[in-house]
Amino acid sequence: MSNNQIDPTKWVDQYSDYLFNFTIARVNDREVAQDLISETFLAGLKSMKNFKGEATERTWLISILKRKIIDHYRKSNSKKGKAEVHINYKDDESEGDWLEERVADPFDKTAEDSIQNEELGEAIYNCLDKLPQKQAKIFRMKTIDNFDTEAICNEFDITPSNFWVIIHRARTAMAGCMEKTWI
Amino acid sequence: MGLFKIDCSNGKMLCDKNQYKETTFLEKVKLNLYLIVCSECRSYTSNNNKLTKALKSKKVHNVSASEKEFLKQKLQEQLNAQK
């Protein structure tokens, strides 16, 4: 048997950031992303007994989330076409020329850098997941949530020099991990 | 010059501190002097700057504590309902 266990009480803390970045790169809307994630968690709960433990919890949740994202687009697609503007040029050649098609493409950015940017958050949380848990937690608090050094030292009961060693290890690991694909 | 003498691991630590703007003036001077002589530290610094920049990028989203609390509540309700 596999040793992949499922524990829904830890889902929010462990995966919500990664899932959120994953979703937002694909739907581009905070609120929709929120909804999709909570739906994913709830769907996960309902089908917990189907979790065979062949994949990790995270992979399993992502596969549910992907379904949810597809569903979201299906839904919004079925509403499409109801509010489009059609200009009649009375000329056979431009028949079917829709107003949307006449909007200029943004010329100042290339597809590549927007893809890179959209998926940056996903890459960062992916790398963060690979760090040891304590390191990741401290690095997160310091770098993303902007806690004071002193507050973190108190909470984890470590000395400042201890703290900086942990930060150093985390940064080195993060940079190494990001370097492969991103920086 | 004894005052300014630091080694590589020390230099890297100062560089980390510098990312969070928590270095004193003396430490900044030490770091910058050290960067002149240590190429390894220079490349570490440049990577470190990129990492900080990437982390601060607007494209990195994080779920706020209150949003997480809300998600947890929802999950808990569902869990209780299933039992």
Side-chain angles (χ1 to χ4, degrees):
Chain A
M1 277 304 283
S2 72
N3 41 10
N4 285 320
Q5 296 287 319
I6 201 158
D7 182 3
T9 50
K10 287 185 186 151
W11 283 357
V12 177
D13 283 327
Q14 280 184 345
Y15 309 116
S16 58
D17 283 306
Y18 177 76
L19 296 180
F20 191 60
N21 277 281
F22 183 91
T23 323
I24 223 159
R26 286 159 181 80
V27 299
N28 210 5
D29 182 311
R30 266 194 92 92
E31 260 168 50
V32 174
Q34 275 294 337
D35 288 347
L36 287 176
I37 288 174
S38 76
E39 273 175 40
T40 304
F41 284 148
L42 293 181
L45 271 187
K46 275 183 199 145
S47 47
M48 235 160 66
K49 53 183 180 308
N50 299 335
F51 180 74
K52 295 190 201 83
E54 282 161 3
T56 60
E57 237 180 355
R58 197 180 83 167
T59 316
W60 183 68
L61 284 170
I62 283 282
S63 69
I64 299 176
L65 180 59
K66 278 182 183 160
R67 289 277 130 210
K68 294 282 170 199
I69 294 173
I70 293 171
D71 283 349
H72 162 73
Y73 276 112
R74 280 209 182 116
K75 241 183 260 167
S76 61
N77 250 338
S78 65
K79 288 179 201 145
K80 217 179 185 177
K82 285 179 187 161
E84 277 169 328
V85 186
H86 187 244
I87 294 178
N88 194 354
Y89 293 98
K90 295 192 173 156
D91 137 25
D92 287 341
E93 256 177 52
S94 54
E95 184 63 53
D97 243 355
W98 299 77
L99 194 56
E100 287 98 308
E101 286 166 11
R102 311 211 142 210
V103 178
D105 288 327
F107 53 87
D108 55 336
K109 51 181 180 186
T110 62
E112 196 179 341
D113 65 36
S114 82
I115 289 171
Q116 281 219 349
N117 280 329
E118 292 303 337
E119 287 173 5
L120 178 64
E122 206 180 313
I124 285 178
Y125 280 104
N126 205 1
C127 288
L128 204 53
D129 267 2
K130 287 181 188 147
L131 300 185
Q133 222 171 25
K134 192 180 170 196
Q135 239 178 60
K137 208 169 173 192
I138 291 178
F139 181 73
R140 242 201 89 109
M141 280 176 84
K142 181 69 189 161
T143 318
I144 298 172
D145 303 328
N146 291 321
F147 276 89
D148 281 339
T149 305
E150 212 177 313
I152 301 174
C153 286
N154 284 339
E155 185 166 333
F156 287 91
D157 198 19
I158 49 178
T159 63
S161 60
N162 221 321
F163 167 79
W164 286 112
V165 170
I166 291 172
I167 288 286
H168 175 69
R169 283 184 192 148
R171 289 195 86 98
T172 315
M174 284 294 284
C177 172
M178 300 286 292
E179 198 174 29
K180 280 180 206 144
T181 40
W182 291 92
I183 301 182
Chain B
M1 275 309 279
L3 186 60
F4 294 113
K5 208 166 154 48
I6 53 177
D7 62 17
C8 206
S9 64
N10 230 323
K12 283 178 181 169
M13 201 193 75
L14 284 182
C15 169
D16 289 328
K17 271 192 182 179
N18 207 18
Q19 298 297 325
Y20 300 100
K21 303 205 165 39
E22 286 185 25
T23 38
T24 60
F25 177 70
L26 181 63
E27 282 173 331
K28 265 182 207 151
V29 174
K30 274 187 193 172
L31 174 64
N32 281 315
L33 282 177
Y34 189 65
L35 285 182
I36 299 172
V37 292
C38 176
S39 70
E40 197 192 323
C41 275
R42 273 200 300 275
S43 78
Y44 180 74
T45 305
S46 108
N47 271 341
N48 225 350
N49 288 337
K50 282 179 201 160
L51 182 64
T52 303
K53 213 175 135 197
L55 285 165
K56 282 198 176 142
S57 140
K58 277 197 202 112
K59 296 287 180 182
V60 182
H61 307 276
N62 50 313
V63 186
S64 69
S66 63
E67 286 168 335
K68 275 188 186 169
E69 215 37 64
F70 179 69
L71 279 174
K72 272 185 197 165
Q73 242 173 30
K74 262 188 159 176
L75 264 180
Q76 199 55 50
E77 275 167 25
Q78 182 71 29
L79 262 181
N80 292 340
Q82 275 185 12
K83 269 171 196 165

